[in-house]
Amino acid sequence: MNKIFKSIVVALLLVIFPATTLAAGWVADFSFDADAAYDDNFLMNDAEQETWVYSLKPEASLIYLTPVIKSELEARLALKRYSEFDQFDSEDPAFKWENSYKRERSTWSLDFGYSENSQRDAAEQDTGQFDSNTLVETTFVEPGVVFRVTEKDDLGLSLGYTERDYDADDFSDNENETVGVNWQHKVDEVLSTTANISVSQYSADRPNVNSNETDYEKITAGFIYKYSASMSINGSAGYFQSDSQKRIISGPVVVIVDSENTGVLLNLGMNYSQEKNDWSFNLSRNLYPSSQGDVEERDSVGVGFEHRFTARSSSGINVSWYNTNSEVEDRESINITPYYHYRITEKLKLQTSYVFRSFDRQLGGEVESNRVKMGLRYSF
């Protein structure tokens, strides 16, 4: 799969980048976030330990747009400091470049990016290890093409490659490669049907502990329903199958464990916009390639609501729930985040939020934390 994947990526680069390198004007946008937060249980342990968190986040974006080409480059740097845990201080860079090129009956795309993050920032959704200061480097490449087969049918081919490398041995370096085929049929002006088939290969290695290779396939069928200009609903259901081989290293002994798994996939989403209110809802059952060397099953529910009081002020709430079925340890997390934003001037915005977190480990029990944050965002 590696050779095929790299060959197609090179071909897409040759198609897309001669066009994007033509002399043209780029539109630049810059912003700067500065905020302070208080967390009463930073490590999410039974013995609560508090800290202040200070962060600065400069961001920049460049956008180039013509009737046939769109290219958008985003870059940011997140500097974080902790009053009681300076071992977690970090400077995390990231960039993402998204490109698309429209031809008469096809649209080609190539997205890629790189980021550095503290692994604990993803602990709620990933492993639940909030006390790790391990850093993870993530690189991804996602080329694709969509062909207009008929006036009502689109056929798409997508590729995906993600690599995560950790600077410590408490997580498994891993790679995930995916080839997908997607079909979309326009039934009428408001309803479309979809079908998707993907084949993936996940490999992970944790030195002197274990290594794992998992092949998994997913098949789904769904719909996109645009009820009105302000409301859309989408959904899909399907099936997955995975085959895994894990090599467990214990001193001079290597134990090989083969396993197979099957299950149901599900996704249901809704977005609804009114004059002063925005609503969103998502329900999902899917697979997640984790940092522990396994492809795990995850259920999630997300609900969002925002109300605009005036052109300057708005308030809302986001609620999320995750339940992960893992060979290492099942876990469940809940986040409740009410917030309030106020635009002080055309370029300066006040952002405040409160975050309640609950995390339930199968073996370690349930822990909670509260975080209050206030900050300013300045757009140049």
Side-chain angles (χ1 to χ4, degrees):
M1 179 178 284
N2 275 325
K3 292 183 178 179
I4 297 175
F5 181 86
K6 291 178 180 178
S7 299
I8 297 177
V9 169
V10 171
L12 284 171
L13 281 168
L14 294 175
V15 171
I16 295 175
F17 276 87
T20 58
T21 53
L22 295 173
W26 290 76
V27 177
D29 183 43
F30 304 92
S31 63
F32 188 86
D33 285 80
D35 56 60
Y38 170 78
D39 195 322
D40 69 357
N41 191 2
F42 178 69
L43 299 179
M44 294 294 283
N45 288 329
D46 291 329
E48 297 181 0
Q49 293 179 275
E50 62 186 14
T51 190
W52 283 89
V53 185
Y54 307 98
S55 66
L56 298 175
K57 298 176 183 177
E59 299 180 18
S61 67
L62 293 170
I63 301 176
Y64 171 65
L65 186 64
T66 74
V68 296
I69 299 172
K70 181 178 181 181
S71 185
E72 182 173 1
L73 175 64
E74 297 180 354
R76 59 108 171 131
L77 179 65
L79 296 91
K80 297 181 181 180
R81 295 293 183 267
Y82 303 90
S83 64
E84 306 299 327
F85 300 93
D86 56 7
Q87 68 269 31
F88 290 96
D89 292 351
S90 63
E91 302 83 27
D92 301 330
F95 82 89
K96 179 174 65 174
W97 198 354
E98 298 179 344
N99 300 275
S100 65
Y101 175 46
K102 291 184 179 180
R103 309 192 73 171
E104 184 177 357
R105 299 187 67 85
S106 64
T107 300
W108 297 77
S109 64
L110 176 61
D111 303 339
F112 57 92
Y114 170 86
S115 65
E116 295 179 15
N117 292 97
S118 299
Q119 177 62 15
R120 74 172 309 278
D121 293 340
E124 293 169 68
Q125 300 181 29
D126 190 47
T127 64
Q129 296 185 31
F130 293 89
D131 57 354
S132 172
N133 62 351
T134 297
L135 297 178
V136 54
E137 297 180 75
T138 303
T139 305
F140 75 89
V141 183
E142 296 176 348
V145 60
V146 177
F147 297 101
R148 175 58 55 90
V149 181
T150 70
E151 291 301 316
K152 292 188 174 184
D153 294 277
D154 291 336
L155 180 65
L157 170 66
S158 63
L159 303 175
Y161 173 80
T162 301
E163 178 180 315
R164 294 188 290 185
D165 295 314
Y166 302 85
D167 68 351
D169 293 339
D170 49 349
F171 299 96
S172 299
D173 295 341
N174 59 81
E175 298 179 357
N176 196 67
E177 302 175 350
T178 299
V179 177
V181 178
N182 176 270
W183 169 79
Q184 181 173 319
H185 174 72
K186 185 177 181 180
V187 179
D188 53 35
E189 294 301 317
V190 297
L191 179 63
S192 297
T193 56
T194 63
N196 180 272
I197 300 175
S198 66
V199 179
S200 302
Q201 184 179 78
Y202 170 81
S203 59
D205 180 63
R206 188 171 175 183
N208 303 316
V209 179
N210 60 52
S211 62
N212 181 31
E213 290 190 0
T214 302
D215 297 322
Y216 58 100
E217 301 83 37
K218 299 193 293 185
I219 301 175
T220 61
F223 68 92
I224 302 171
Y225 181 49
K226 296 182 179 180
Y227 179 77
S228 65
S230 60
M231 183 176 181
S232 64
I233 303 173
N234 64 85
S236 65
Y239 170 85
F240 79 85
Q241 176 178 314
S242 66
D243 297 292
S244 177
Q245 182 180 85
K246 177 176 287 189
R247 298 168 59 89
I248 303 172
I249 303 169
S250 179
V253 179
V254 177
V255 179
I256 299 177
V257 179
D258 294 319
S259 61
E260 297 182 359
N261 192 21
T262 60
V264 174
L265 302 170
L266 177 67
N267 184 71
L268 179 63
M270 184 273 289
N271 290 283
Y272 180 45
S273 297
Q274 298 174 297
E275 182 179 355
K276 291 191 174 184
N277 298 315
D278 291 332
W279 306 79
S280 64
F281 171 80
N282 184 261
L283 170 69
S284 174
R285 168 170 286 183
N286 212 327
L287 299 181
Y288 173 74
S290 82
S291 65
Q292 289 297 309
D294 297 304
V295 178
E296 302 174 336
E297 296 181 58
R298 170 176 296 166
D299 297 330
S300 67
V301 177
V303 179
F305 169 74
E306 181 174 278
H307 174 74
R308 291 175 289 278
F309 299 101
T310 67
R312 286 190 167 189
S313 65
S314 63
S315 181
I317 186 171
N318 292 313
V319 180
S320 61
W321 170 83
Y322 297 95
N323 186 69
T324 304
N325 182 12
S326 169
E327 290 187 10
V328 179
E329 181 182 40
D330 291 348
R331 51 196 182 272
E332 180 181 19
S333 66
I334 298 173
N335 269 26
I336 302 175
T337 309
Y339 62 87
Y340 175 75
H341 295 166
Y342 181 77
R343 187 170 295 281
I344 301 172
T345 68
E346 183 179 350
K347 296 183 177 181
L348 185 64
K349 179 189 286 188
L350 171 68
Q351 301 179 135
T352 65
S353 65
Y354 162 74
V355 182
F356 169 79
R357 294 188 299 174
S358 173
F359 194 87
D360 190 359
R361 302 174 177 88
Q362 185 181 33
L363 301 177
E366 184 177 0
V367 293
E368 298 176 353
S369 80
N370 300 275
R371 174 176 288 198
V372 180
K373 183 169 71 173
M374 178 177 292
L376 295 172
R377 179 179 179 84
Y378 186 82
S379 301
F380 294 87

